[in-house]
Amino acid sequence: MRLILLGPPGVGKGTQGRRLSQVQGWALISTGEMLREAGTRGTPLGLEARRRMDAGQLVSDEIMIGLVRERTALDDASKGFVLDGFPRTVPQAEALDALLEERGQRLDAVVSLNAPETELVRRLSDRRECPVCKRAYNRGSSAPKNGAHCDDHPEVELKSRADDAPETVRERLKVYREQTAPLIDYYGRCGRLLEVTGLGEPDAVFRTMQEALAARQQDR
Ligand code: AMP
């Protein structure tokens, strides 16, 4: 399947996308992760992206569309992919439709995850990430077994993401409301949207999402 995980920052797109990709064997394409890696490598694109990310702003559509065009053409994406963090604007969604059509492919589903803003703010302030495998933990719902260390990399200390600082989170939520939330209508209009609650334990959200996807697969 080719699918999109849509939703505000902190709703669990990364956590759910990672699990879906592990269980189903679909490539996980996280555009935020790609940009953070480029930032760590210090490429010109990465440094420019980091400036935008640290301010809670989006990176330009042109750059993002180019990145996704290349990434979705790689071999591991041929059996299916999960897009986490793309598209984030209507022009990105239109470019993705055009790109898939060009390749004779189609988008199978758009899973829209949602949760109230108070919950998102709480989760983002509690979020910690493993610098090696990028797995996200949360003191509330998905705490690491050993306090401040990654379960799979016990020697590594978990870190907060720079853009999870409270003022950046406020800006990211505003950007989401203004530029990304319109995609719910965009995909809803053509019947591709599956609405799944992002509230509750990650395991329960995952089960609900899988049931919705299985029902969608049967419809086709
Ligand atoms: P994420 O890891 O998905 O929360 O993304 C972190 C940051 O990367 C965002 O706040 C944006 O600055 C940037 N970013 C990720 N994906 C996109 C995209 N599709 N379009 C524009 N900016 C993006």
Side-chain angles (χ1 to χ4, degrees):
M1 269 185 126
R2 292 179 202 90
L3 66 99
I4 292 172
L5 289 182
L6 186 63
V11 78
K13 299 186 298 296
T15 301
Q16 300 299 337
R18 174 179 285 254
R19 287 188 65 170
L20 207 51
S21 123
Q22 281 166 352
V23 169
Q24 302 283 2
W26 301 325
L28 176 64
I29 303 181
S30 159
T31 45
E33 200 45 55
M34 289 165 76
L35 296 173
R36 282 186 288 279
E37 273 166 20
T40 306
R41 284 200 307 275
T43 62
L45 161 78
L47 296 178
E48 171 57 20
R50 186 184 281 171
R51 268 193 293 280
R52 306 280 306 166
M53 292 163 84
D54 287 352
Q57 296 291 327
L58 297 183
V59 174
S60 78
D61 287 340
E62 196 189 345
I63 290 179
M64 297 314 300
I65 293 163
L67 277 181
V68 167
R69 172 179 285 277
E70 280 181 23
R71 179 64 187 86
T72 51
L74 297 185
D75 268 0
D76 68 331
S78 63
K79 287 196 215 76
F81 55 73
V82 183
L83 281 169
D84 157 21
F86 184 96
R88 258 181 159 96
T89 64
V90 170
Q92 290 182 15
E94 289 169 346
L96 180 64
D97 280 342
L99 169 69
L100 293 176
E101 197 179 323
E102 218 174 84
R103 294 179 182 161
Q105 298 176 338
R106 68 161 190 224
L107 194 60
D108 298 288
V110 179
V111 176
S112 166
L113 291 169
N114 218 334
E117 277 202 13
T118 46
E119 170 70 8
L120 301 171
V121 169
R122 191 189 61 71
R123 285 188 192 177
L124 292 168
S125 73
D126 278 355
R127 174 158 75 178
R128 300 288 179 275
E129 196 179 80
C130 171
V132 176
C133 66
K134 313 299 177 196
R135 178 168 162 192
Y137 293 87
N138 199 288
R139 269 189 301 184
S141 54
S142 46
K145 292 190 188 114
N146 165 14
H149 298 263
C150 177
D151 292 352
D152 301 319
H153 302 94
E155 71 292 356
V156 176
E157 201 168 326
L158 303 174
K159 297 249 180 318
S160 292
R161 261 171 54 175
D163 59 350
D164 283 344
E167 61 286 3
T168 317
V169 165
R170 273 195 294 280
E171 182 61 23
R172 287 164 67 203
L173 288 169
K174 179 167 171 272
V175 166
Y176 172 79
R177 281 193 300 272
E178 291 173 358
Q179 302 197 51
T180 309
L183 294 179
I184 297 176
D185 267 358
Y186 178 90
Y187 288 117
R189 278 199 297 275
C190 45
R192 286 184 284 183
L193 199 68
L194 296 172
E195 298 203 65
V196 172
T197 177
L199 276 178
E201 293 300 311
D203 283 355
V205 173
F206 187 65
R207 271 196 304 277
T208 312
M209 185 173 69
Q210 277 205 304
E211 282 162 15
L213 288 171
R216 168 58 53 92
Q217 267 175 321
Q218 275 177 359
D219 284 352
R220 289 189 169 259

